[in-house]
């Protein structure tokens, strides 16, 4: 089935540790996105990429990094500089229809 | 500045009741898209509808209908004869199409609980 796969579903980070969230899509979409969702809040854009080897900061990029070496993959690293990383992270992709397709998310918690 | 407001944080209805979820947006752009997404307990957001700013026709899809009014900057969503499976968080979002990529501004969501 075509879609977006995020892994792991749950992730725990220790103080000072970097962690990487995986996002893979087989929809042949050019654009991919990372959003952060906090309880009672809407989604906020962290980073997005319109093509391979290119990406732009969203509204809350500080403390995060991304790479886009392959069209199918857009991993997000939560660095130790992100002081409040506990949140639900959603990856999305879009083709030509301006409609976002979302993965099932990763819940990141701090130990 | 752009903003999406969903003033209803939580709504509870009894099964088979109709329910309307409100969405008010702010933008100075004349060209934009509006979206509704559903987030069930599984977590992923499910696309429901996209409406562009030049199309004010209301839309009906089964038990779902949407009322877009530019005069009041509103894009409300009505579920008719609600069912337990409709229980979810619903997000309204605005896309200004400024960068060529989809940079959606989301509201804070409305949690709908349908009681059997």
């Amino acid at each position: 089935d075509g879609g977006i796969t995020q892994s792991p579903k749950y992730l725990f980070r220790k103080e000072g540790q970097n962690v990487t969230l995986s996002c893979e899509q087989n929809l042949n979409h050019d654009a991919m996105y990372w959003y952060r969702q906090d309880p009672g809040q809407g989604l906020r854009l962290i980073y997005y990429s319109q093509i391979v080897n290119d990406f732009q900061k969203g509204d809350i990029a500080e403390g995060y990094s991304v790479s886009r070496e392959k069209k199918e993959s857009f991993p997000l690293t939560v660095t130790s500089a992100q002081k409040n990383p506990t949140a639900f992270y959603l990856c999305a992709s879009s083709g030509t229809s301006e409609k976002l397709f979302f993965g099932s998310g990763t819940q990141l918690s701090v130990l | 500045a752009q903003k999406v407001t969903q003033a209803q944080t939580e709504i509870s209805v009894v099964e088979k009741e109709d329910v309307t979820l409100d969405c008010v947006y702010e933008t100075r752009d004349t060209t934009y898209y509006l979206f509704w997404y559903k987030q069930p307990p599984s977590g992923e957001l499910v696309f429901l509808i996209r409406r562009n700013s030049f199309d004010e026709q209301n839309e009906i899809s089964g038990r779902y209908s949407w009322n877009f009014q530019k005069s009041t900057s509103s894009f409300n969503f009505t579920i008719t004869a609600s069912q337990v499976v409709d229980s979810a968080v619903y997000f309204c979002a605005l896309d200004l199409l400024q960068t060529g990529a989809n940079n959606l501004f989301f509201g804070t969501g409305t949690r709908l609980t349908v009681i059997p």
Side-chain angles (χ1 to χ4, degrees):
Chain A
D1 285 351
I4 300 178
T5 302
Q6 289 189 241
S7 61
K9 192 167 181 62
Y10 300 96
L11 186 59
F12 298 91
R13 193 191 89 166
K14 296 180 181 179
E15 292 289 340
Q17 185 182 44
N18 293 353
V19 292
T20 297
L21 285 61
S22 171
C23 178
E24 303 279 332
Q25 55 101 357
N26 60 6
L27 300 168
N28 199 34
H29 286 166
D30 287 319
M32 297 187 73
Y33 312 79
W34 275 104
Y35 284 89
R36 169 178 171 143
Q37 183 179 16
D38 293 280
Q41 297 190 33
L43 281 69
R44 292 180 290 170
L45 184 65
I46 305 172
Y47 268 99
Y48 65 97
S49 167
Q50 293 180 262
I51 56 172
V52 175
N53 293 323
D54 185 53
F55 49 82
Q56 285 79 41
K57 294 182 179 180
D59 301 320
I60 55 166
E62 186 174 350
Y64 300 97
S65 66
V66 293
S67 63
R68 187 84 186 278
E69 298 177 1
K70 299 186 301 182
K71 186 175 185 178
E72 301 80 19
S73 179
F74 192 41
L76 173 73
T77 296
V78 184
T79 74
S80 57
Q82 172 50 246
K83 299 306 179 187
N84 184 23
T86 297
F88 189 60
Y89 291 87
L90 282 158
C91 178
S93 70
S94 66
T96 57
S97 69
E98 289 89 37
K99 182 172 74 173
L100 289 181
F101 292 81
F102 284 85
S104 55
T106 293
Q107 176 64 51
L108 175 63
S109 303
V110 177
L111 291 176
Chain B
Q2 44 285 331
K3 185 179 179 182
V4 176
T5 301
Q6 294 179 256
Q8 305 150 308
T9 304
E10 296 189 29
I11 301 177
S12 292
V13 298
V14 176
E15 199 171 21
K16 298 184 183 178
E17 287 185 348
D18 299 347
V19 59
T20 295
L21 309 183
D22 297 332
C23 173
V24 175
Y25 63 94
E26 297 175 28
T27 179
R28 293 181 178 176
D29 287 29
T30 57
T31 303
Y32 50 86
Y33 283 112
L34 294 164
F35 295 80
W36 275 96
Y37 280 87
K38 174 182 180 180
Q39 186 178 39
S42 59
E44 69 182 273
L45 270 71
V46 178
F47 169 85
L48 295 178
I49 190 172
R50 182 192 73 186
R51 171 67 73 226
N52 76 54
S53 53
F54 298 108
D55 182 2
E56 287 194 70
Q57 276 194 328
N58 292 328
E59 182 158 339
I60 298 174
S61 176
R63 297 184 296 108
Y64 296 170
S65 62
W66 291 268
N67 185 331
F68 177 31
Q69 293 193 345
K70 288 182 76 171
S71 60
T72 57
S73 297
S74 65
F75 187 44
N76 297 337
F77 172 32
T78 297
I79 301 175
T80 303
S82 60
Q83 299 176 1
V84 173
V85 293
D86 295 327
S87 296
V89 181
Y90 291 86
F91 290 96
C92 181
L94 169 69
D95 185 350
L96 300 181
L97 307 172
Q98 290 174 336
T99 62
N102 297 94
N103 186 357
L104 269 62
F105 296 91
F106 283 85
T108 52
T110 297
R111 180 177 297 279
L112 174 65
T113 301
V114 180
I115 303 166

